[in-house]
Amino acid sequence: MEIKHITVAVLGTGLIGAPVARNLANKGFRVKVWNRTASKASAIAQANLQACTSVAEAVSEASHIVTVLKDGDSVAAAIEAGAGHFQPGAIWVQLSTVGVEASLDLARRAEEHQLVYFDAPVQGTRQPAEQGQLVILASGPVAQRVSVQPLFDAIGKRTVWVAETPGHSSRLKLALNSWVFALTHGLAESLALAKGLGVDPQLVIDVVSNGPMDCTYFQLKSAAMLAGNYTPSFSVANAAKDAQLIVEAARQAGVRADVVEAGLRRFQRAVAAGHGDKDMAASFLASDAPPDVTAPGADDDSCAHPPDRACCRRRTRGPAPVPDARSAPACTARRGRGPRGGGWQGLSMGLRSTRGPPTRRIQPQGQGVRSRPDAEEAFNLMLFSLPTGMLGVHSEIRQRKAATAHDVDGIRTDAPPKFASLATAAPMPRSPAAGSARPGLHVLGTRPSAGSG
Ligand SMILES: NC(=O)c1ccc[n+]([C@@H]2O[C@H](COP(=O)([O-])OP(=O)(O)OC[C@H]3O[C@@H](n4cnc5c(N)ncnc54)[C@H](OP(=O)(O)O)[C@@H]3O)[C@@H](O)[C@H]2O)c1
């Protein structure tokens, strides 16, 4: 069928949904958009692009439905709102990052509504979306791919076909976000540390530039952090949502994801400090967030409550959700010295003493004992962050003697110490279903990632 005869409903006109809808319209598709906040949908009306006031109105003539909403719940609610109005056999392209469980739940809903489901999260932020340069990580039935490829070509530069069945693309998306979060936090902490140590953070950028650790992302985000430009491309709130999804998926799969957990705490602090709508480069601002905005239970080494207390949830079940300051007061049962407690206290392996080996403390220039020049400390944090982030490992707990740069006066440093061991595969309880429920999956398992695209 000619593109001009294809009607596409785009549900969600946020940072990614709006340019996706515009690019489809510019390529000649007939596009109908719906958004919860109606003014955002009407603001992008143009030729070939009509704003609708209800999901039902948007989907009723559409042969293709595209969802670009915040999370699994908002996507499910939008699809249910369209029930009874879909074209029989319409194709549903699900671009939002919803995680593994929600992706499978949405696939079930697709079946119920007789929709053909494509699990198709995207790689790329606002600018690539505006330029039609997204990478689409697509899973869906081979027979229908010919029908969705023109849409993908309109919004992206590349389609990676991951699998035939849903869920696999959402898994790959989590693995990719783990990498981008490691980059973001590693960079944020390096710059914050340089600043806190009294050296010009620009020196970190100068040393990295044009070397083997340089990349476009490093240049873009370091410039944004130093300029204090947090115009959102990917919001902190959505990044926190995705980090939580990664933590949950990793636990299900029996994979240690310590770096993501630490990064989640940074995002949570940024949200609690009022930076949720800013770009995730605002991880930089989490370095000097005061302790009273720390997510309850987020510091696993700072709370003396037994592990079943809500404030201590993280010690047994992973990071606390994004905090609700009204209902979840910060835990006050701190161990050891200072508001964050001792870096060694409350760690795993049953250590309950309030005194442990002294954490090496790095202090701003002129304020404490130093063993190395300041610029070298800041630069080394960068070096430690990148390889450990890449591997998804963090030996903070298991390599307790390596507390380099972990507890820095006045600067939050959640990135791991330098020992990047094979800790990702360290034994931990596996869910009974782990492994068997993911035939053919190489992305989140402990096997090598051959074939993950
Ligand atoms: N930005 C990126 O770089 C990027 C990259 C890859 C993937 N993603 C993923 O793509 C999806 C959209 O991201 P985005 O950056 O476009 O997010 P966004 O700008 O925050 O937009 C979120 C969209 O979801 C809607 N929404 C939120 N909560 C809702 C609810 N309860 N009910 C109905 N609608 C709701 C918003 O409606 P309102 O306008 O009414 O708030 C808006 O349309 C997310 O899953 C995100 O993780 C984003």
Side-chain angles (χ1 to χ4, degrees), residues 15-16 35-37 40 69-70 97 124-125 233 238 241:
L15 288 172
I16 304 294
N35 195 61
R36 177 182 62 173
T37 306
K40 286 197 202 165
L69 295 160
K70 179 171 179 156
T97 306
T125 57
S233 286
N238 281 344
K241 177 259 302 179

Side-chain angles (χ1 to χ4, degrees), residues 11-19 34-38 40 67-75 77-78 94-98 121-127 134 173 177 232-235 238-239 241-242 277 279-280:
L11 309 181
T13 57
L15 288 172
I16 304 294
W34 168 86
N35 195 61
R36 177 182 62 173
T37 306
K40 286 197 202 165
T67 45
V68 208
L69 295 160
K70 179 171 179 156
D71 54 16
D73 287 346
S74 51
V75 174
Q94 207 305 98
L95 302 183
S96 329
T97 306
V98 299
V122 294
Q123 191 68 17
T125 57
R126 185 179 56 168
Q127 197 184 36
L134 293 168
K173 175 65 185 164
N177 271 7
S233 286
F234 185 9
S235 71
N238 281 344
K241 177 259 302 179
D242 288 0
D277 289 339
D279 187 74
M280 68 172 165

